[in-house]
Amino acid sequence: LWIYQMIQSVDHLLSSEDQIEPLREIANKFDAIIPDLEYPVESKDTVAIGDILTYELNPTLSKLFSVIRSLIDNKVVRTHVN
């Protein structure tokens, strides 16, 4: 999963443990979610797949986007902010 690989690869780019820890927590959550999808995908259990995507993956992605937004806001100077 490209998102998981991206999270793992940014550790060395961040300057403090406070910035790294939220991304590690999200990576750990992905580690737990992805194996949970294996059986439902193999058995074509669309209800279980939908539940995992809705109740586990979606909140994790929302958290990831929030952390990324926060990191960008702390690192980037925006000259054209609305």
Side-chain angles (χ1 to χ4, degrees), residues 2 8 11-12 18 24-25 31 33 42-43 47 52-53 58 61-62 66 72 75-76 78:
W2 68 269
Q8 293 297 324
D11 271 3
H12 69 282
D18 289 345
R24 285 187 184 147
E25 290 174 11
D31 274 344
I33 294 170
E42 289 175 354
S43 63
V47 173
I52 292 169
L53 295 177
N58 191 32
L61 288 172
S62 293
S66 175
I72 289 171
K75 293 280 186 184
V76 176
R78 298 180 184 174

Side-chain angles (χ1 to χ4, degrees), residues 2-75:
W2 68 269
I3 295 172
Y4 177 77
Q5 292 169 340
M6 182 270 311
I7 291 170
Q8 293 297 324
S9 69
V10 297
D11 271 3
H12 69 282
L13 299 174
L14 300 174
S15 59
S16 74
E17 192 64 31
D18 289 345
Q19 294 173 330
I20 295 168
E21 191 55 35
L23 290 172
R24 285 187 184 147
E25 290 174 11
I26 293 167
N28 291 337
K29 185 67 175 164
F30 277 115
D31 274 344
I33 294 170
I34 300 307
D36 289 347
L37 278 169
E38 184 176 1
Y39 180 76
V41 168
E42 289 175 354
S43 63
K44 298 179 180 162
D45 184 347
T46 56
V47 173
I49 293 168
D51 285 349
I52 292 169
L53 295 177
T54 300
Y55 300 112
E56 294 184 41
L57 189 60
N58 191 32
T60 304
L61 288 172
S62 293
K63 174 76 174 175
L64 174 61
F65 297 146
S66 175
V67 168
I68 291 170
R69 223 177 285 115
S70 175
L71 290 171
I72 289 171
D73 287 345
N74 290 332
K75 293 280 186 184

